[in-house]
Amino acid sequence: MADFLQQVVAGLASGSIYAALALALVLIHRATGVINFAQGEMATLSTYVAWTLTANHGWGYWPAFAFTLAVSFLGGAAVHQAIIRPNEKGSVLRVVIVTIGLLIFVNGLVTLIWGGEVRAVESPFPAGTTVIAGVAITTADIGTIAVVLGTVAALWALLQYTKLGLAMRAAAVNPAEARLVGVRVTWMLSFGWGLAAVLGAVAGMLAAPTVFLDPNLMAALLIYAFAAAVLGGIDSPVGAVVGGLTLGVGLNLIGTYVDFVGADLRLPVALLVILVVLLVKPTGIFGKSEVRRV
Amino acid sequence: MTALLELDAVEARYGPVQALHGITLQVAEREVVAVLGANGAGKTTTLRAISGTVRRSGRLEFAGKPLRGGPEAVARAGIAHVPEGRGTFTELTVHENLRLGAYTRRERSVRADVDRVAQWFPWIHERAGQQAGTLSGGEQQMLAVARALMARPRLLLLDEPSLGLAPMIVREIFRIVRELNEHDGLTVLVVEQDARIALRTAARAYVLEVGRVALEGSSKELQENESVRRSYLGY
Amino acid sequence: MSLRRTLVPVVSFVALTVVVAVVPLFVSEFRAQELAYVAIYLVAIIGLNILTGYTGQISLGHGAFMAVGGYTTAILMADHGVKDIWTIPLAGLVAGAAGFLFGIPALRLSGLYLALATFAIAVSMPAVIKRFEGFTGGGTGINLFGVPELTASLTPVSILGRELSFNDWLYYLSWSIALVGYVVAWLLLRGRAGLALRAVRDSETAAQSSGVSLPRYKTLAFGVSAAYAGVAGSLFAIATTYVNPDTFPVALSILLLVGVVVGGLGSLVGLIAGAVFIQFLPTWSQEVSKSPGAPSVVSGALLIALMFVLPMGVAGLVERLRLLTRRIYHRSGS
């Protein structure tokens, strides 16, 4: 039993990372109707920035973390303004190609600047375990869950209780009407992209100590994040978080207890989740059915 | 009396289709002016041209200054546009809708404004937390007007407030518009299909046909005009 | 259809065929091989064009259908001694069936969701291939080099009295199939089917109310495009003489879609341009800089820039030039 609970907690920790990235995808999709295929690569770039600051410039972990979040925010907003906005009026296909181009570009950029070697990264959390109710939980897992939940909570507070957050929500659901009350919709959407980049950076920085730092850090994570977002409902922030945690726990348990799957088929299982959900209930657990206006 | 709002030979198009072929009209401060016409005459487009929702050319002046830019800039200039179909944020609560109405205002607290607006729509306080999409059509229309009032606009643009509403509710809304005008001095430009109630509320009106002003005059004149009576008043 | 409008495409097609037939006489073997790959990609994107350009369904997973075709060919050749040429139509059929089957549930997905689902398929294909080792040879793959069923691999083949090396044979095989494939697609799209497909793309609701059976055409489009991809995959396996799970990576699926968009949906010129783009982009990017990562930076930036400058692709550019010349012609004529 203790073993089972341990797996659950470990699953929650990895799941919270999926949740963070999934939330980024959902934010962007809700605000601009775009699936950002480059979200993972942008997060990788952020993670490298944080790493460079600590490893090559002697910054402390948390100052580097905060600085990286700020830079990521600006980067995300800039990408929206410069690259996404001009292509918004084009076809869906055009936007897909643009985010894919961005994926390729950023992936190459990271390799170009820092090289392709795999690097070990220190975890900001002390090693060791705590025992709660007879279950040994690593401090790193607790720390990961705490950081993600903290970030998500801060984001939620921003969106629910501030004027800015209200304007952002309005811009996402009803851009035309939002303009009429004076909201600068385009800036709000860029702001949304900035926030999404921040979430991605958090996901990347938390994942790096476990999965090692290399240019393809987020490739698999992006797929898990997609699965989580689709599972929870691609337009539901709550769904993204719930989906991420569920997926994390589910994958961990399946990987441990189902022999057929083992460790290498976790990715295809995640993909199976995407396919099954998209086919059975495309709007996900928390999503609302899309109304086709004739 | 100099006009608060002046339009001179204003044109507007939707892509290749030209909707306005040169609209000229004025609205003076503290006036209620109506814009009438059949479907497709360009009434809604005229309001959209004013609020900058659609691209327009020609001379538009508000409070003596040229009116330029998109809806965000126009809202900041003091014009509140209640669009066709209400334009309420259906996924947000009543209170959030109102807060958004006050978006351009700099005050830290909108409490006082909500109270002020609630004087006209007393049910607002009770339903503050309700999702706007669950309100009835009439309530949503009133919410839309309330939201516009939160901005303390100098000019209120109302697009087809009677659309899809029962006659009793329509009368109520126009009664409120009249009172807002008489008590608060609010200037209103209202586009309406229901010419009868529009002419009873407004002092002056313009009749549009195919993107141009075909007739203008005081409400009394228009009510007595033969063609207006036949085409728009039904007798 | 006026005589002139049918004549021009036919004449240009014939001219193209002549050019294609003659080129190997002037270029090196290496070049011939590169051009053979262009033809292979052309086959794949002719199919993808039918799907995306005509019914508006976005697929980021056509590399997976190529894999189906490629593995079908490899398995038939290595394990069952089937001559390579005969495996090609079979590969197309198998891939086509897979595509048609996928097309049925895909009906429920639109735009981005479909892109996502097909992306998921492309990413999972390598892992799935590895899992069914007994069938597919798992991670080690299937080696076709030296297999007697592979034409021209051990000894040159003789056609119409001329002896062809492997690369030249590959070139003619691929281009013949590509040209035939294009004609078939052209014929398919000219008739009622084409009209229906274009109606679906432009407005699904309108098409439906006109009585076009949406599901039928959309799944058919999926099947047909997958069949093309299967044939391309089969040729690919023959060309590389080797298949393993990494022969058809996600990058290939992405490149195929990119090729269709860069080429521009619709015209043959566009499709050829797209195929050229797919084959030569990696090489060109490397010529700019060989530093690790630089080719991707160049490709990615180029891709983004192209969407700004030529959103309609090369075909769009050609169309604009055509309209421009026509305008000039009319102005000077009258």
Side-chain angles (χ1 to χ4, degrees), chain C residues 137-332:
Chain C
T140 38
I142 303 177
N143 196 342
L144 296 173
F145 191 73
V147 166
E149 285 76 17
L150 189 65
T151 312
S153 66
L154 298 174
T155 50
V157 67
S158 184
I159 297 213
L160 303 177
R162 280 197 70 227
E163 282 217 332
L164 293 174
S165 65
F166 182 66
N167 285 324
D168 285 342
W169 152 247
L170 193 65
Y171 173 94
Y172 282 115
L173 177 67
S174 313
W175 275 100
S176 314
I177 293 182
L179 291 172
V180 168
Y182 181 78
V183 171
V184 169
W186 193 65
L187 290 171
L188 275 177
L189 296 170
R190 274 170 70 80
R192 279 180 67 213
L195 206 60
L197 288 176
R198 252 167 299 153
V200 168
R201 177 195 61 195
D202 291 335
S203 169
E204 284 201 5
T205 9
Q208 237 173 337
S209 20
S210 308
V212 175
S213 168
L214 223 63
R216 194 181 355 141
Y217 282 107
K218 286 176 87 168
T219 41
L220 269 178
F222 236 105
V224 169
S225 69
Y228 272 86
V231 168
S234 167
L235 286 169
F236 200 85
I238 294 173
T240 52
T241 67
Y242 179 63
V243 287
N244 75 1
D246 295 319
T247 315
F248 304 100
V250 185
L252 178 62
S253 290
I254 294 178
L255 267 179
L256 288 175
L257 187 67
V258 166
V260 169
V261 175
V262 165
L265 306 169
S267 73
L268 179 61
V269 172
L271 292 173
I272 294 181
V276 167
F277 187 80
I278 297 175
Q279 168 61 17
F280 289 107
L281 179 66
T283 338
W284 293 333
S285 312
Q286 285 199 319
E287 266 170 45
V288 174
S289 164
K290 284 214 179 30
S291 322
S296 297
V297 170
V298 172
S299 316
L302 191 63
L303 206 50
I304 296 176
L306 273 170
M307 286 299 102
F308 274 88
V309 173
L310 283 180
M312 293 285 116
V314 171
L317 181 66
V318 168
E319 184 66 21
R320 260 189 272 168
L321 286 173
R322 210 166 58 85
L323 289 171
L324 192 66
T325 44
R326 193 186 291 172
R327 220 176 290 151
I328 296 175
Y329 173 70
H330 278 191
R331 214 173 286 162
S332 63

Side-chain angles (χ1 to χ4, degrees), chain A residues 9 12 47 53 94 98 121 131 143 152 154 170 180-181 212 262 277:
Chain A
V9 174
L12 283 175
T47 312
L53 290 174
R94 197 162 140 191
V98 163
V121 172
V131 179
V152 171
L180 289 178
V181 293
F212 300 109
V277 172

Side-chain angles (χ1 to χ4, degrees), chain A residues 12-25:
Chain A
L12 283 175
S14 51
S16 59
I17 296 178
Y18 307 155
L21 196 57
L23 195 54
L25 291 170

